[in-house]
Amino acid sequence: MIYIAICDDEKYTSDHIRKLISDFFHEKNIEMTISQFSNGEELLKYDNQIDILFLDIQMNKVNGLETARILRNRKFKGYLIFITILKEMVFQSFEVQPFDYLVKPIEKQTVTSTLERLLSSMKNARVPSLLIQKGYQNRIVSLDDIIFCEIIDRKVYLHLITSDVIDYYDRIENLEKKLDSRFFRCHRSFLVNLKYLKSYKNGIAYLEGGKEIPVSRLRNKEFSNVILQYMKEW
């Protein structure tokens, strides 16, 4: 699932962009959800996940640039696409790291081109992430947000720093190939993110949040060595 937000005080423009986005992702068979906001104040009160934000620059009260600054200060890491009637406004927005700009009136080809590049960027993002496919839904999860992975039967459970748990079907061998060196398979049913390791004693890995994960006897020595190597590299 990809979470998209549109913030524009012109309802016609907001609805028009919504339809173009919906058509694009429908053709790609990618599940997404869209939230719409009529001003910056509404958007700033929203505390759910946003992966892609379409933000109008020229709005009353809190304009788009100020809204973007506040969001970035709050550690918003999503893709930011500005909507504007003045091309000159783009030169004032570099500090908030926009991905692209859409100049009104918004045309289908422009939106399509932007979203094509954005999808490509998401797949090759510098921030390591995991693309999860669950039925017809797709969701991108940052590896940094995963505390540990648990495998029960044929199902994977990702335990996140937000306390959320995402489940989907996959084999542990496939999952292991998609993760980087910060993850270690300490048990046939567990992969732990060493970033969240608090201590290790008597075959138990103590993770952030109070979770205790067993380490198999066969992996005990290797786990100790991996911890030392991780401390050097990360």
Short mmCIF file of all heavy atoms in Angstrom, two decimals, residues 110-136:
data_model
loop_
_atom_site.label_atom_id
_atom_site.label_comp_id
_atom_site.label_asym_id
_atom_site.label_seq_id
_atom_site.Cartn_x
_atom_site.Cartn_y
_atom_site.Cartn_z
N THR A 110 2.06 15.25 -17.66
CA THR A 110 3.02 15.75 -16.67
C THR A 110 2.96 14.90 -15.40
O THR A 110 3.99 14.52 -14.85
CB THR A 110 2.72 17.22 -16.33
OG1 THR A 110 2.71 17.99 -17.52
CG2 THR A 110 3.79 17.77 -15.39
N VAL A 111 1.75 14.62 -14.95
CA VAL A 111 1.58 13.80 -13.75
C VAL A 111 2.11 12.39 -13.99
O VAL A 111 2.81 11.81 -13.14
CB VAL A 111 0.10 13.76 -13.32
CG1 VAL A 111 -0.11 12.78 -12.18
CG2 VAL A 111 -0.38 15.14 -12.92
N THR A 112 1.79 11.82 -15.15
CA THR A 112 2.25 10.48 -15.48
C THR A 112 3.77 10.40 -15.49
O THR A 112 4.38 9.48 -14.94
CB THR A 112 1.71 10.04 -16.86
OG1 THR A 112 0.28 10.01 -16.82
CG2 THR A 112 2.23 8.65 -17.23
N SER A 113 4.41 11.38 -16.11
CA SER A 113 5.87 11.42 -16.18
C SER A 113 6.48 11.51 -14.78
O SER A 113 7.45 10.80 -14.47
CB SER A 113 6.32 12.61 -17.02
OG SER A 113 7.72 12.73 -17.03
N THR A 114 5.91 12.36 -13.93
CA THR A 114 6.40 12.53 -12.57
C THR A 114 6.27 11.23 -11.78
O THR A 114 7.20 10.81 -11.08
CB THR A 114 5.64 13.65 -11.85
OG1 THR A 114 5.95 14.90 -12.48
CG2 THR A 114 6.03 13.72 -10.38
N LEU A 115 5.11 10.58 -11.89
CA LEU A 115 4.88 9.34 -11.14
C LEU A 115 5.75 8.19 -11.65
O LEU A 115 6.18 7.34 -10.86
CB LEU A 115 3.40 8.96 -11.20
CG LEU A 115 2.46 9.90 -10.42
CD1 LEU A 115 1.00 9.50 -10.64
CD2 LEU A 115 2.79 9.87 -8.93
N GLU A 116 6.01 8.15 -12.94
CA GLU A 116 6.90 7.11 -13.48
C GLU A 116 8.29 7.25 -12.88
O GLU A 116 8.91 6.27 -12.45
CB GLU A 116 6.98 7.22 -15.01
CG GLU A 116 5.73 6.76 -15.74
CD GLU A 116 5.58 5.25 -15.81
OE1 GLU A 116 6.38 4.54 -15.17
OE2 GLU A 116 4.65 4.80 -16.48
N ARG A 117 8.80 8.48 -12.85
CA ARG A 117 10.12 8.72 -12.28
C ARG A 117 10.13 8.46 -10.77
O ARG A 117 11.10 7.96 -10.22
CB ARG A 117 10.58 10.16 -12.56
CG ARG A 117 10.88 10.42 -14.02
CD ARG A 117 11.57 11.75 -14.24
NE ARG A 117 10.78 12.89 -13.79
CZ ARG A 117 11.01 13.56 -12.69
NH1 ARG A 117 12.01 13.21 -11.88
NH2 ARG A 117 10.25 14.60 -12.36
N LEU A 118 9.02 8.81 -10.13
CA LEU A 118 8.93 8.61 -8.69
C LEU A 118 8.96 7.13 -8.34
O LEU A 118 9.65 6.72 -7.41
CB LEU A 118 7.65 9.27 -8.17
CG LEU A 118 7.54 9.42 -6.65
CD1 LEU A 118 6.72 10.66 -6.31
CD2 LEU A 118 6.87 8.20 -6.05
N LEU A 119 8.22 6.31 -9.08
CA LEU A 119 8.22 4.87 -8.82
C LEU A 119 9.61 4.28 -9.00
O LEU A 119 10.05 3.44 -8.22
CB LEU A 119 7.23 4.15 -9.75
CG LEU A 119 5.77 4.16 -9.36
CD1 LEU A 119 4.96 3.32 -10.33
CD2 LEU A 119 5.58 3.64 -7.94
N SER A 120 10.29 4.73 -10.05
CA SER A 120 11.65 4.27 -10.30
C SER A 120 12.56 4.67 -9.15
O SER A 120 13.40 3.89 -8.70
CB SER A 120 12.17 4.86 -11.61
OG SER A 120 13.51 4.48 -11.85
N SER A 121 12.39 5.88 -8.66
CA SER A 121 13.20 6.37 -7.55
C SER A 121 12.93 5.58 -6.27
O SER A 121 13.84 5.27 -5.51
CB SER A 121 12.92 7.85 -7.31
OG SER A 121 13.67 8.36 -6.24
N MET A 122 11.67 5.23 -6.05
CA MET A 122 11.30 4.47 -4.86
C MET A 122 11.94 3.09 -4.87
O MET A 122 12.37 2.57 -3.85
CB MET A 122 9.77 4.34 -4.76
CG MET A 122 9.06 5.64 -4.45
SD MET A 122 7.25 5.52 -4.45
CE MET A 122 6.98 4.80 -2.82
N LYS A 123 12.01 2.49 -6.06
CA LYS A 123 12.61 1.16 -6.18
C LYS A 123 14.11 1.20 -5.98
O LYS A 123 14.72 0.22 -5.57
CB LYS A 123 12.28 0.56 -7.55
CG LYS A 123 10.81 0.25 -7.74
CD LYS A 123 10.54 -0.27 -9.14
CE LYS A 123 9.05 -0.56 -9.34
NZ LYS A 123 8.77 -1.01 -10.72
N ASN A 124 14.72 2.34 -6.29
CA ASN A 124 16.18 2.46 -6.19
C ASN A 124 16.58 3.46 -5.12
O ASN A 124 17.66 4.05 -5.19
CB ASN A 124 16.76 2.89 -7.54
CG ASN A 124 16.45 1.91 -8.65
OD1 ASN A 124 16.98 0.82 -8.69
ND2 ASN A 124 15.56 2.30 -9.55
N ALA A 125 15.73 3.64 -4.15
CA ALA A 125 15.99 4.64 -3.11
C ALA A 125 17.25 4.33 -2.34
O ALA A 125 17.59 3.18 -2.10
CB ALA A 125 14.79 4.71 -2.16
N ARG A 126 17.96 5.40 -1.94
CA ARG A 126 19.17 5.20 -1.15
C ARG A 126 18.84 4.60 0.22
O ARG A 126 19.62 3.87 0.79
CB ARG A 126 19.87 6.53 -0.97
CG ARG A 126 20.49 7.09 -2.25
CD ARG A 126 21.23 8.38 -1.99
NE ARG A 126 21.84 8.91 -3.19
CZ ARG A 126 22.55 10.02 -3.22
NH1 ARG A 126 22.71 10.73 -2.13
NH2 ARG A 126 23.08 10.44 -4.36
N VAL A 127 17.68 4.98 0.75
CA VAL A 127 17.28 4.41 2.03
C VAL A 127 16.82 2.98 1.77
O VAL A 127 15.82 2.76 1.09
CB VAL A 127 16.13 5.22 2.65
CG1 VAL A 127 15.68 4.59 3.96
CG2 VAL A 127 16.57 6.66 2.89
N PRO A 128 17.54 1.99 2.29
CA PRO A 128 17.16 0.60 2.02
C PRO A 128 15.74 0.32 2.49
O PRO A 128 15.35 0.70 3.59
CB PRO A 128 18.19 -0.20 2.85
CG PRO A 128 19.33 0.74 3.03
CD PRO A 128 18.72 2.10 3.13
N SER A 129 14.99 -0.32 1.62
CA SER A 129 13.60 -0.60 1.95
C SER A 129 13.19 -1.96 1.42
O SER A 129 13.88 -2.58 0.63
CB SER A 129 12.69 0.48 1.38
OG SER A 129 12.86 0.58 -0.03
N LEU A 130 12.04 -2.40 1.89
CA LEU A 130 11.51 -3.70 1.53
C LEU A 130 10.16 -3.49 0.87
O LEU A 130 9.28 -2.85 1.45
CB LEU A 130 11.37 -4.57 2.79
CG LEU A 130 10.95 -6.02 2.63
CD1 LEU A 130 12.02 -6.81 1.87
CD2 LEU A 130 10.72 -6.64 4.00
N LEU A 131 10.00 -3.99 -0.35
CA LEU A 131 8.72 -3.92 -1.03
C LEU A 131 7.93 -5.17 -0.70
O LEU A 131 8.34 -6.28 -1.02
CB LEU A 131 8.91 -3.81 -2.55
CG LEU A 131 7.63 -3.81 -3.39
CD1 LEU A 131 6.75 -2.62 -3.03
CD2 LEU A 131 7.95 -3.81 -4.87
N ILE A 132 6.81 -4.98 -0.01
CA ILE A 132 5.99 -6.09 0.43
C ILE A 132 4.77 -6.21 -0.46
O ILE A 132 4.05 -5.23 -0.67
CB ILE A 132 5.55 -5.90 1.90
CG1 ILE A 132 6.77 -5.85 2.80
CG2 ILE A 132 4.60 -7.00 2.33
CD1 ILE A 132 6.47 -5.35 4.18
N GLN A 133 4.53 -7.39 -0.99
CA GLN A 133 3.36 -7.65 -1.81
C GLN A 133 2.43 -8.58 -1.05
O GLN A 133 2.80 -9.71 -0.71
CB GLN A 133 3.76 -8.25 -3.14
CG GLN A 133 4.59 -7.30 -4.00
CD GLN A 133 5.02 -7.93 -5.31
OE1 GLN A 133 5.55 -9.02 -5.33
NE2 GLN A 133 4.78 -7.22 -6.39
N LYS A 134 1.25 -8.07 -0.76
CA LYS A 134 0.25 -8.85 -0.03
C LYS A 134 -1.03 -8.84 -0.85
O LYS A 134 -1.76 -7.87 -0.85
CB LYS A 134 0.02 -8.24 1.35
CG LYS A 134 -0.91 -9.06 2.23
CD LYS A 134 -1.01 -8.44 3.62
CE LYS A 134 -1.94 -9.25 4.52
NZ LYS A 134 -2.04 -8.66 5.87
N GLY A 135 -1.28 -9.94 -1.56
CA GLY A 135 -2.41 -9.96 -2.47
C GLY A 135 -2.18 -8.96 -3.58
O GLY A 135 -1.16 -8.99 -4.26
N TYR A 136 -3.10 -8.02 -3.74
CA TYR A 136 -2.97 -6.99 -4.76
C TYR A 136 -2.39 -5.69 -4.19
O TYR A 136 -2.31 -4.68 -4.87
CB TYR A 136 -4.33 -6.70 -5.40
CG TYR A 136 -4.86 -7.86 -6.21
CD1 TYR A 136 -5.88 -8.66 -5.72
CD2 TYR A 136 -4.32 -8.16 -7.45
CE1 TYR A 136 -6.37 -9.73 -6.46
CE2 TYR A 136 -4.78 -9.22 -8.20
CZ TYR A 136 -5.81 -10.01 -7.70
OH TYR A 136 -6.28 -11.07 -8.43
#
